């Protein structure tokens, strides 16, 4: 049985709507200035539209979006974000977890979830609560939120002890199910220590990796760094868990996305389950050196064929 999962991140959907003076207080003021000075020229909505069109032609069984739909958390961005997700697919076909730009200031995340919460819908019927669980084919998707409001020039994230404890209980329970599902964890910030530079890191990354070492997972997806990356962290019994980061899905080819690993792209995972093994392969599709969207080749998961002797 083969299941195809698409992963994209950090679309930073624009342009910004009309900004009122009273909205530019605190961190939004510096964020808006940064947007006007150059950040807006780092993201291209034409590129994003073409990337989504290409993604939808690949026949993915599900799509994971790991945050930063917004730029500075304006109320006008919430409906723009919902429109983007609806273009990507239905709430049943797309799973979303928020990023730091989605929680830019206090109240931003709550506003976004009010507009887009169905894309965080748990199988129980609730939405906007983390962690959440969604079962799609052989996958069990566990959505986490590392999105918190921070001070200007800071882009850190945090899960918090209650969310970590709930995620551990959920992952442990999934591991004991007959015909154990393939557990995919979605988070915005790189979840391993050293995964992001100081001021941009997940504050409780050590606690997260310790939790995964106890409970296990089969694949961890994130965004935030605007670069394609692959790492591994220990799972139970020393088995490595792949940690894969996607670049910004709207990075301009000659600016923010000039480097090959930073060009706008998305990832396609082929999860093949047969007998006593599950094999996982990943490929990138996105902007090539000419600016066209094409297959950019396999992503090296460092031999991440997983021992699935207890998955049957």
């Amino acid at each position: 049985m083969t299941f195809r999962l698409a992963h994209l991140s950090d679309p930073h959907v624009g342009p910004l709507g009309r900004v009122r003076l009273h909205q530019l207080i605190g961190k939004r003021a510096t964020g808006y200035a940064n947007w006007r000075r150059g950040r807006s020229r780092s993201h291209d909505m034409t590129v994003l539209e073409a990337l989504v069109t290409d993604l939808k032609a690949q026949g993915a069984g599900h799509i994971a979006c790991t945050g930063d739909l917004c730029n500075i958390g304006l109320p006008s961005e919430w409906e723009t974000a919902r429109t983007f997700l609806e273009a990507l697919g239905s709430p049943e076909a797309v799973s979303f977890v928020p990023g730091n730009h989605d929680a830019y200031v206090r109240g931003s995340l709550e506003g976004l979830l009010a507009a887009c919460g169905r894309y965080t819908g748990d199988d129980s019927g609730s939405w906007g609560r983390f962690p959440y669980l969604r079962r799609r084919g052989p996958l069990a998707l566990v959505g986490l939120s590392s999105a918190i409001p921070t001070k200007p020039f800071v882009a850190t994230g945090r899960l918090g002890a209650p969310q970590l404890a709930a995620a551990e209980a959920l992952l442990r329970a999934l591991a004991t199910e007959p015909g154990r599902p393939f557990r995919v964890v979605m988070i915005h910030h790189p979840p391993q220590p050293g995964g992001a530079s100081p001021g941009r890191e997940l504050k409780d990354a050590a606690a997260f990796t310790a939790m995964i070492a106890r409970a296990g997972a089969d694949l961890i997806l994130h965004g935030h760094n605007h670069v394609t990356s692959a790492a591994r962290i220990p799972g139970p019994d020393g088995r490595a868990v792949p940690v894969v980061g996607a670049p910004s899905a709207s990075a301009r080819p000659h600016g923010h996305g000039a480097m090959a690993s930073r060009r706008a792209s998305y990832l396609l995972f082929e999860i093949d389950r047969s007998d006593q093994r599950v094999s996982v392969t990943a490929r990138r599709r996105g902007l090539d050196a000419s600016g066209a969207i094409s297959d950019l080749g396999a992503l090296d998961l460092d031999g991440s064929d997983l021992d699935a002797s207890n998955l049957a």
Side-chain angles (χ1 to χ4, degrees):
M1 176 181 183
T2 300
F3 191 89
R4 181 171 286 186
L5 173 68
H7 171 214
L8 82 165
S9 196
D10 298 76
H12 291 280
V13 184
L16 292 181
R18 181 181 178 185
V19 180
R20 300 182 182 276
L21 186 61
H22 74 272
Q23 295 174 324
L24 297 180
I25 57 175
K27 186 172 182 176
R28 271 207 193 117
T30 57
Y32 184 66
N34 287 337
W35 175 264
R36 292 293 300 271
R37 280 201 300 262
R39 189 176 182 90
S40 62
R41 293 186 291 278
S42 297
H43 299 281
D44 188 326
M45 296 305 104
T46 301
V47 167
L48 179 60
E49 182 180 3
L51 203 72
V52 169
T53 299
D54 186 83
L55 185 158
K56 293 180 72 173
Q58 302 307 311
H62 198 69
I63 301 169
C65 179
T66 51
D68 277 2
L69 300 180
C70 295
N71 295 285
I72 59 174
L74 289 167
S76 60
E77 294 186 87
W78 303 334
E79 286 304 310
T80 302
R82 181 181 60 80
T83 300
F84 168 76
L85 287 175
E86 289 176 346
L88 198 58
S90 70
E92 291 71 34
V94 180
S95 293
F96 167 71
V97 295
N100 55 292
H101 280 264
D102 300 319
Y104 208 70
V105 297
R106 292 186 183 278
S108 291
L109 181 58
E110 292 79 4
L112 178 67
L113 291 178
C116 304
R118 290 190 303 153
Y119 289 86
T120 67
D122 188 271
D123 282 347
S124 68
S126 65
W127 54 265
R129 299 178 182 178
F130 302 92
Y132 67 75
L133 169 64
R134 302 180 129 196
R135 300 175 188 268
R136 300 294 185 269
L139 307 187
L141 297 127
V142 177
L144 304 179
S145 176
S146 59
I148 56 171
T150 59
K151 296 178 181 179
F153 309 110
V154 176
T156 54
R158 187 184 301 277
L159 293 166
Q163 188 177 184
L164 279 165
E168 179 167 1
L170 184 55
L171 289 167
R172 284 183 180 275
L174 290 168
T176 64
E177 290 184 0
R180 175 166 80 76
F182 186 88
R183 297 166 297 168
V184 179
V185 175
M186 300 175 298
I187 183 173
H188 178 70
H189 289 78
Q192 72 275 31
S197 58
R200 295 178 46 81
E201 77 277 22
L202 182 70
K203 285 294 189 180
D204 41 10
F208 175 88
T209 53
M211 181 272 287
I212 293 296
R214 295 189 300 267
D218 299 304
L219 177 64
I220 300 170
L221 305 178
H222 70 85
H224 189 56
N225 283 345
H226 293 198
V227 64
T228 308
S229 63
R232 306 180 88 191
I233 61 174
D237 304 321
R239 288 177 292 177
V241 179
V243 178
V244 181
S248 168
S250 61
R252 287 184 181 274
H254 303 297
H256 182 78
M259 293 175 56
S261 61
R262 290 184 174 271
R263 291 182 194 140
S265 58
Y266 63 92
L267 304 174
L268 278 174
F269 295 89
E270 295 277 356
I271 300 156
D272 183 60
R273 181 172 183 165
S274 60
D275 297 327
Q276 299 298 306
R277 291 194 63 80
V278 171
S279 65
V280 183
T281 58
R283 301 191 68 83
R284 294 178 62 212
R285 288 192 63 84
L287 292 180
D288 60 23
S290 72
I293 293 179
S294 64
D295 188 320
L296 302 179
L299 179 65
D300 183 8
L301 299 181
D302 194 22
S304 62
D305 279 4
L306 305 179
D307 179 1
S309 58
N310 61 344
L311 294 192

